[in-house]
Amino acid sequence: ALDESRTVVRPQGLYRPNPFRDRKGEARSRLFRLLAQPGSPSIVVGAGPADRRKGIDIFCQVASLVVQAKSDVEFVWLGDCDKELARDCKAWLDVLGLSRRVHFLGLVKEPEIYASHIAAADIFLLTSREDPFPSVVLDAMAAGTPVVGFVEAGGFVDLLSRGGGLLVPFEDRVAMAKAVSSLIDEPAHAAILGAVGRQLVDIRFQFHEYVND
């Protein structure tokens, strides 16, 4: 058996710094133009393959709860949506009349565009049911974007418990929607969480330190 006292779990560092971390206004303008929005709504972003593990269904359910109560927020998913579950979610949103408020931008291959969209977000919504330590959480936190995720869903929970976002009960869509709404309603609190997350990544999750370890 492996001696646990001689083991170290070392999460990856942030291997691709976000060039828009200090240009969030520019990033938001770019995303607003893409969404054909005038520039006033809050933006909630999720990312990854649109499957059950990543929780695309949860993302859409949380979006439906929030956008039916708020007229000033848009939800954006970045990632491959060519899956049956994603198609079902889109059809469900269309039936509810919410398809114009939840946007599926597909797989973003250009690193600069991906970085811009992450920096443009007011909130990063991590709906994963299982995710060991997704780099997108580091990407969001490094850009000063607060993260909302589930407890018991992966190693990122330890990171978020130090600050940088909010944790809600596992698979609780209502609690997640309330957390998102609270950050939209309290931008000062969201800004504090974003600043804490950015500092955590700057101090503890730089890639050169990971490589040196």
Side-chain angles (χ1 to χ4, degrees):
L2 192 64
D3 183 355
E4 292 187 5
S5 69
R6 296 175 63 82
T7 65
V8 175
V9 176
R10 180 62 161 94
Q12 76 274 19
L14 182 71
Y15 57 87
R16 188 169 53 206
N18 193 320
F20 291 92
R21 59 181 279 160
D22 294 315
R23 297 156 56 195
K24 292 178 75 71
E26 178 185 345
R28 289 177 65 80
S29 295
R30 291 171 59 154
L31 186 53
F32 286 143
R33 286 196 298 271
L34 183 62
L35 301 180
Q37 292 287 349
S40 59
S42 297
I43 300 291
V44 180
V45 170
D51 55 23
R52 188 178 187 280
R53 182 179 72 85
K54 286 289 188 178
I56 185 61
D57 54 325
I58 297 174
F59 183 86
C60 293
Q61 290 160 358
V62 171
S64 72
L65 292 171
V66 175
V67 301
Q68 289 183 83
K70 294 181 177 296
S71 60
D72 59 347
V73 57
E74 305 286 323
F75 282 71
V76 177
W77 185 271
L78 311 174
D80 178 19
C81 294
D82 188 24
K83 299 179 185 296
E84 184 177 358
L85 180 57
R87 292 193 291 270
D88 288 346
C89 288
K90 291 179 183 179
W92 177 73
L93 289 168
D94 193 47
V95 169
L96 292 178
L98 302 177
S99 55
R100 293 185 178 181
R101 305 286 301 282
V102 185
H103 311 268
F104 299 88
L105 299 189
L107 182 62
V108 180
K109 296 182 179 180
E110 300 83 357
E112 181 182 348
I113 296 176
Y114 163 80
S116 177
H117 292 344
I118 293 296
D122 294 283
I123 300 166
F124 185 83
L125 189 58
L126 186 69
T127 52
S128 298
R129 291 177 167 91
E130 181 184 2
D131 227 331
F133 199 85
S135 292
V136 71
V137 170
L138 294 180
D139 291 333
M141 292 174 67
T145 302
V147 179
V148 178
F150 291 129
V151 298
E152 302 176 3
F156 68 88
V157 170
D158 292 335
L159 176 59
L160 280 189
S161 65
R162 304 176 199 172
L166 300 175
L167 291 166
V168 299
F170 186 66
E171 291 197 65
D172 190 332
R173 285 81 161 160
V174 173
M176 182 167 270
K178 288 181 178 178
V180 169
S181 295
S182 73
L183 292 178
I184 293 171
D185 292 339
E186 302 174 26
H189 184 211
I192 291 172
L193 290 177
V196 170
R198 177 168 164 160
Q199 185 178 45
L200 276 171
V201 173
D202 286 349
I203 293 174
R204 300 180 61 90
F205 293 96
Q206 292 303 302
F207 193 64
H208 68 274
E209 294 178 356
Y210 168 72
V211 173
N212 287 338
D213 273 358

